[in-house]
Every structure is written in C-alpha cells, then in structure tokens.
Amino acid sequence: LILPPKMTVLKREFFRIPDLKSLDAPYMIIDLLLNYFGFIPLGVFLSLTMASTGKFKRNPLLIGTVLISFLFSISIETAQVSMASRDSSLIDLILNTLGGLSGGLIVWRKRDQYL
C-alpha cells in the first residue's frame, strides 16, 4: 500500500467516469485489477452459499450472485461519495460486478461438484 505524502480532497461525484488517458497510469492499473480480482472471492462465496441451500439451480444461482455483487458494489461506491479522500467510480462498479460474475462462473463451471 502506497500512501501519498499529501491527501487530496476529491470532488464529490457519484459514479464518476475517469479520464481515459489516466487508465494506463500504474496506480490506475493496480486499482482496476484490485477492483476486479477483489470481488472474485465474493462471487465464489455467494455462489457456494446459495448452492449449499439447495434452493437455487444453475442459472438463478449465477443471476443472484451477480445481483448481490452489484448491490454490494453500489453500497461501497455510495459510501465513498461522503469520504473526502475517496471517489465513486462507475468503472469500479462495473469491475466489481464482473469480478463477482467471474467468481460465480468458477462455481458454475464446476457445478456438478457443488449442485
């Protein structure tokens, strides 16, 4: 974790779309990867938890995993709007949801072992 020497107060924007030129900066690449890979374990956990109840079949299980990942990500991004040093990003929401989907797909591909 690298902390900047001086914290900058960011503008309070809900689901800000970052400048595309900044996406290739090293700190942005790390942020993008963390947002995606950080939600894969959540997707696996949600899918396994729903599968263990026996109430969900394959497709509803995947849809439920994506929906919960999406809602959890929205809550994180909404909370970040009120934090001075954090920003709410649409790309973070998308990558978090895709990470949850990927985790769900891992379980879904191995569905015969879990379902």
Side-chain angles (χ1 to χ4, degrees):
L1 180 64
I2 300 170
L3 296 175
K6 180 180 174 187
M7 296 299 274
T8 305
V9 176
L10 302 172
K11 290 193 309 183
R12 293 188 176 171
E13 294 181 62
F14 192 66
F15 292 137
R16 179 185 62 81
I17 299 173
D19 181 22
L20 294 178
K21 295 175 193 170
S22 69
L23 290 180
D24 63 349
Y27 72 91
M28 280 299 292
I29 292 170
I30 292 169
D31 185 56
L32 296 174
L33 292 172
L34 285 174
N35 277 296
Y36 174 73
F37 287 107
F39 265 64
I40 290 176
L42 177 67
V44 169
F45 173 75
L46 290 171
S47 293
L48 288 174
T49 302
M50 288 189 283
S52 69
T53 66
K55 296 180 181 180
F56 295 93
K57 297 298 177 205
R58 293 179 183 118
N59 290 338
L61 183 135
L62 196 57
I63 292 168
T65 299
V66 170
L67 182 63
I68 292 170
S69 297
F70 176 76
L71 293 173
F72 185 57
S73 182
I74 280 185
S75 67
I76 291 170
E77 296 303 318
T78 301
Q80 287 181 351
V81 170
S82 63
M83 297 178 192
S85 63
R86 303 291 303 172
D87 65 340
S88 174
S89 171
L90 183 60
I91 290 179
D92 290 354
L93 173 67
I94 292 167
L95 288 173
N96 291 344
T97 304
L98 288 174
L101 171 64
S102 297
L105 286 172
I106 290 169
V107 173
W108 192 80
R109 285 193 56 150
K110 303 285 187 178
R111 63 189 170 270
D112 296 333
Q113 296 174 9
Y114 305 114
L115 301 177

